[in-house]
């Protein structure tokens, strides 16, 4: 029962271009969404989040978009840099609960 | 300002032994979460604790697994009589309090290998 899905296991983008990572969810009770970035042999690092009452949140090169009707969110990185190469996890928090439900991750590779 | 600390970073146990994983939250954080990541999968929630209290253990296997967060000292995830299927990366996270929008900050993980 995968409530948060990242359907693209990998993505390759040219340096300087836009990277778009996608995430779909099935549980309408999720009210908070987060993106984490993970390097090998390290723990996930928080990137950006969005509440379900918003449809966009921006922080520097990172923007998260939320489409509640489609139960879809996306992370845009522009411009992409070589240091952005990592695995990106989408996560969601159910209303009233503290746990995070993670997607399977998307491995982003930025090519020079 | 130290982040979340976990030890050991790598742990090898033979089948049937016990594994103890430790987590020290960030300074000022009183909420601890444990997650498990199997190879090629996302992180799966196991348990959420506050000092001396288990708040949500809905992700914990019913047998062999236990967790505590004592008044003094680190949080401990204990796995008794380990089996090969317990081999995974175990991540601890902490947050300053409950309720959104508190993000969870993760430690580097403990990689458990059961031989």
């Amino acid at each position: 029962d995968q409530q948060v899905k990242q359907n693209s296991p990998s993505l390759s983008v040219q340096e300087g271009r836009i990277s778009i990572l996608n995430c779909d969810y099935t549980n309408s009770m999720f009210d908070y969404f987060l993106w984490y970035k993970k390097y090998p042999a390290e723990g996930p690092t928080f990137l950006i989040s969005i509440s379900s009452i918003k449809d966009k949140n921006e922080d520097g090169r990172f923007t998260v978009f939320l489409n509640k009707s489609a139960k879809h969110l996306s992370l845009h990185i522009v411009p992409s840099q070589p240091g952005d190469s990592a695995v990106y996890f989408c996560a969601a928090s159910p209303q009233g609960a503290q746990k995070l439900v993670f997607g399977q991750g998307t491995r982003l590779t930025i090519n020079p | 300002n130290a982040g979340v600390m976990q030890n050991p970073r790598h742990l090898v146990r033979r089948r049937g032994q016990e594994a103890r994983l430790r987590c020290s939250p960030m300074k000022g954080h009183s909420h601890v979460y444990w997650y498990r990541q199997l190879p090629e999968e996302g992180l799966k929630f196991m348990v959420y604790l506050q000092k001396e209290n288990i708040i949500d253990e809905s992700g914990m296997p019913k047998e062999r697994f236990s967790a505590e967060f004592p008044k003094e000292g680190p949080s401990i995830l204990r796995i008794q009589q380990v089996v090969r299927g317990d081999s995974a990366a175990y991540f601890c996270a902490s947050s300053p309090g409950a309720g959104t929008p508190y993000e969870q900050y993760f430690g580097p993980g403990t990689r458990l290998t059961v031989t």
Side-chain angles (χ1 to χ4, degrees):
Chain A
D1 178 21
Q2 191 69 30
Q3 297 184 62
V4 178
K5 295 181 183 179
Q6 295 176 256
N7 291 317
S8 298
S10 62
L11 176 67
S12 189
V13 173
Q14 202 75 16
E15 182 179 357
R17 301 286 186 116
I18 184 171
S19 296
I20 299 177
L21 297 103
N22 293 302
C23 178
D24 297 296
Y25 62 95
T26 58
N27 190 341
S28 306
M29 297 303 291
F30 289 144
D31 67 348
Y32 201 67
F33 302 88
L34 308 90
W35 283 93
Y36 282 84
K37 173 181 177 180
K38 186 180 180 304
Y39 294 118
E42 293 184 13
T45 302
F46 170 73
L47 269 180
I48 191 169
S49 61
I50 187 167
S51 164
S52 60
I53 62 173
K54 295 187 176 181
D55 55 18
K56 177 182 175 181
N57 188 27
E58 192 172 351
D59 183 1
R61 296 186 299 115
F62 303 92
T63 303
V64 56
F65 295 92
L66 176 62
N67 183 333
K68 283 185 67 177
S69 61
K71 293 191 175 69
H72 177 84
L73 65 157
S74 60
L75 174 68
H76 293 211
I77 307 172
V78 57
S80 299
Q81 299 174 354
D84 296 331
S85 295
V87 177
Y88 288 78
F89 289 99
C90 166
S93 180
Q95 191 174 25
Q98 290 303 114
K99 63 184 177 184
L100 295 178
V101 181
F102 281 83
Q104 310 95 306
T106 296
R107 183 177 303 277
L108 175 65
T109 302
I110 306 300
N111 301 308
Chain B
N1 187 13
V4 178
M5 299 176 68
Q6 290 188 248
N7 68 82
R9 294 292 307 274
H10 300 273
L11 183 60
V12 179
R13 284 287 178 266
R14 290 199 180 99
R15 280 180 295 169
Q17 291 184 318
E18 178 179 284
R20 283 196 179 200
L21 290 64
R22 293 175 182 77
C23 169
S24 296
M26 285 180 71
K27 189 175 182 180
H29 287 193
S30 59
H31 296 242
V32 165
Y33 314 81
W34 286 93
Y35 292 82
R36 175 165 66 174
Q37 184 184 24
L38 295 171
E40 305 304 320
E41 294 187 13
L43 284 74
K44 296 280 196 297
F45 169 80
M46 299 180 76
V47 63
Y48 160 41
L49 310 104
Q50 295 176 25
K51 285 282 186 182
E52 301 184 281
N53 283 305
I54 297 174
I55 307 302
D56 180 355
E57 55 182 346
S58 59
M60 286 281 267
K62 294 285 186 275
E63 297 175 348
R64 302 187 297 108
F65 286 72
S66 63
E68 62 177 8
F69 189 17
K71 188 176 180 181
E72 301 291 337
S75 175
I76 307 283
L77 179 68
R78 185 181 291 110
I79 311 173
Q80 296 178 305
Q81 299 175 329
V82 295
V83 300
R84 288 228 172 97
D86 297 332
S87 294
Y90 292 81
F91 292 97
C92 168
S94 72
S95 69
T100 57
Y102 290 112
E103 295 84 20
Q104 296 177 16
Y105 297 86
F106 284 81
T110 293
R111 275 142 191 88
L112 173 65
T113 302
V114 179
T115 61

